[in-house]
Amino acid sequence: MSDHQQLIKQLSNQIQPVKPLAPTGVRILKWVMVALPLAIVCSVFVHRGLTDWHQPGAGLALAQLALAVTLGIAAVWNALTLLIPGRHTIPTVRFILGGGLWLLLNIMSLSVHPSTPAHDHGTFCYLFLMVVSAPMMITLLWTLRRSGGLYSQKSLLMAGISVAAWSVSLLSLCHPVQQDRTDLALHFAAVATIIGVTMIIGRWTRVK
């Protein structure tokens, strides 16, 4: 015990300065630059062709795309910001309103006189969303882990919403502007699956 002062001095000399976190906007940009190209590459394996923006109802499809991208950016902002105590985040009610509006736009895009349904189309959409979400989910959870901060179930929820929104955005680029009810139901099922899996994996890997 007589050498405890020497031990304290030795340990103090070994302490390295803590590297401050980059601004939230910079971390989001870095994540997008990595995750989005990976998701696009994965989409090639389940790709069916680009959306025909000249079809009737293209305006609604563009509105859905713009809203999904907005929700994706806002949710990842919250996911990264919630890790830092005392930081102001976007109120949850705005995500509820945005999600409700996205749901309304999708319902409005249902075909009044749908063409002959393709039984495998809804399955393709579900598969597409699962495939493109995988790299975005992994890279975002890795980003959350590297960011440190406090463990937050709400942060994982926002991460899942962001991944789901970005996945839906990519689907909008290779999907008919009109949908049928089965197709739409599988879109919602995929969104719920992505959010749930993100939260489960994040908790299992102890993101904090």
Side-chain angles (χ1 to χ4, degrees):
M1 294 297 293
S2 59
D3 295 329
H4 68 277
Q5 293 293 346
Q6 183 64 28
L7 176 61
I8 293 173
K9 183 177 180 180
Q10 181 181 353
L11 292 175
S12 299
N13 291 333
Q14 293 175 353
I15 295 176
Q16 298 295 325
V18 177
K19 185 178 179 181
L21 280 176
T24 303
V26 173
R27 286 182 288 153
I28 291 175
L29 181 61
K30 289 182 177 179
W31 172 71
V32 170
M33 291 176 64
V34 173
L36 203 54
L38 288 174
I40 292 173
V41 169
C42 290
S43 72
V44 173
F45 297 101
V46 284
H47 188 254
R48 272 195 175 180
L50 298 177
T51 301
D52 181 5
W53 296 106
H54 298 290
Q55 292 180 359
L60 282 175
L62 282 172
Q64 294 170 31
L65 173 59
L67 183 56
V69 171
T70 302
L71 288 172
I73 295 173
V76 72
W77 178 280
N78 266 16
L80 293 173
T81 304
L82 282 165
L83 297 175
I84 306 173
R87 294 290 182 90
H88 295 290
T89 58
I90 301 170
T92 304
V93 65
R94 297 190 182 182
F95 290 94
I96 296 175
L97 293 175
L101 179 57
W102 181 79
L103 172 62
L104 177 62
L105 291 174
N106 275 272
I107 293 175
M108 291 171 62
S109 69
L110 291 174
S111 301
V112 179
H113 302 291
S115 56
T116 304
H119 297 290
D120 63 338
H121 187 69
T123 305
F124 156 74
C125 293
Y126 190 92
L127 176 63
F128 181 95
L129 290 169
M130 291 298 101
V131 169
V132 300
S133 68
M136 293 191 285
M137 183 188 306
I138 293 170
T139 52
L140 183 51
L141 291 176
W142 178 78
T143 300
L144 290 175
R145 189 174 184 85
R146 281 182 59 88
S147 296
L150 298 177
Y151 173 84
S152 173
Q153 193 72 7
K154 189 175 180 180
S155 179
L156 292 177
L157 172 61
M158 288 294 163
I161 292 174
S162 179
V163 172
W166 282 103
S167 301
V168 168
S169 301
L170 291 177
L171 178 64
S172 298
L173 301 177
C174 54
H175 190 281
V177 297
Q178 294 183 338
Q179 310 176 68
D180 58 39
R181 289 179 176 82
T182 301
D183 192 26
L184 185 57
L186 284 171
H187 289 185
F188 295 153
V191 167
T193 302
I194 292 169
I195 295 174
V197 170
T198 302
M199 296 182 69
I200 291 171
I201 294 179
R203 189 165 185 174
W204 178 63
T205 55
R206 306 178 79 88
V207 171
K208 54 184 176 180

